[in-house]
Amino acid sequence: AAKELKEILDNGGNYVAVSEVEKLIEAIGEVSLESIGKIEAAERAYEALTEAQKALVGNIATLEAARASYDKLKEEADKEAADKAAAAGVTKQIEAIGEVTLDKEAAVQAARAAYDGLTEAQKKYVSEAVLKLLTDAESKLEELKAAADKEAAEKVEKLIEAIGEVSLESIG
């Protein structure tokens, strides 16, 4: 009788195989990025079952939900990593400006364009201090350009003054 009961419970090897898969699925627990090993182990074990055995797995929806949750977490983590990398590139570009001189105008403009090209999510990873470096560089550049323009205007005025009185005799 015990042998017959064991055969009924074993269901031709199905019970043990299905039970092992169900235990692997239960072991996943709360899904995090660290859950991938358990999810993949359960998926491999499930895929190794016959179609008849797969039909007997009572918690397959839990495995499917775990995979979906993991994939979403992974996508979010990948996006966050990409956002951080984009912000880091712009941060390096801003920090590379260094001391602002008139010949740094292209670097300042390129840094501004790069910052403005970031998404709002990416901009969150650029520190206030780095953003201040950029705005300070832009202000300093405007001051330098204004001073250079004033100096150029003064030179032109001096050249005009040096002409002196203009008459028909002074042409030539």
Side-chain angles (χ1 to χ4, degrees):
K3 185 177 179 187
E4 289 177 12
L5 180 60
K6 186 175 183 207
E7 285 178 24
I8 291 170
L9 289 176
D10 186 37
N11 192 12
N14 291 331
Y15 176 78
V16 172
V18 169
S19 176
E20 289 302 313
V21 171
E22 288 177 335
K23 286 178 187 174
L24 288 171
I25 293 170
E26 287 172 23
I28 294 169
E30 186 175 337
V31 178
S32 69
L33 289 174
E34 290 75 35
S35 301
I36 189 61
K38 292 178 180 180
I39 292 170
E40 288 179 344
E43 287 173 335
R44 282 191 302 273
Y46 178 77
E47 289 304 316
L49 296 176
T50 66
E51 291 305 313
Q53 291 170 329
K54 287 178 183 177
L56 298 172
V57 176
N59 58 355
I60 188 61
T62 302
L63 176 58
E64 292 165 347
R67 170 50 83 175
S69 293
Y70 173 81
D71 288 347
K72 185 175 184 214
L73 288 172
K74 178 79 168 114
E75 181 180 324
E76 290 168 357
D78 289 348
K79 183 184 178 318
E80 182 179 359
D83 287 350
K84 284 181 178 179
V90 172
T91 295
K92 280 185 176 185
Q93 190 172 359
I94 293 170
E95 291 173 340
I97 294 170
E99 183 182 345
V100 180
T101 59
L102 285 173
D103 62 340
K104 297 273 183 100
E105 182 174 10
V108 172
Q109 290 174 342
R112 168 53 71 186
Y115 178 79
D116 289 346
L118 294 176
T119 66
E120 290 305 311
Q122 293 167 335
K123 286 179 181 178
K124 291 176 185 173
Y125 296 108
V126 176
S127 73
E128 289 293 324
V130 170
L131 185 55
K132 185 171 178 352
L133 286 175
L134 177 58
T135 57
D136 288 353
E138 290 169 327
S139 296
K140 179 69 173 174
L141 183 61
E142 288 307 310
E143 289 172 19
L144 291 172
K145 286 168 60 177
D149 289 348
K150 184 177 180 185
E151 185 179 322
E154 288 172 355
K155 284 182 182 178
V156 169
E157 287 174 358
K158 285 182 182 177
L159 289 173
I160 292 171
E161 287 175 13
I163 293 173
E165 188 176 319
V166 177
S167 65
L168 290 175
E169 291 80 33
S170 66
I171 298 176

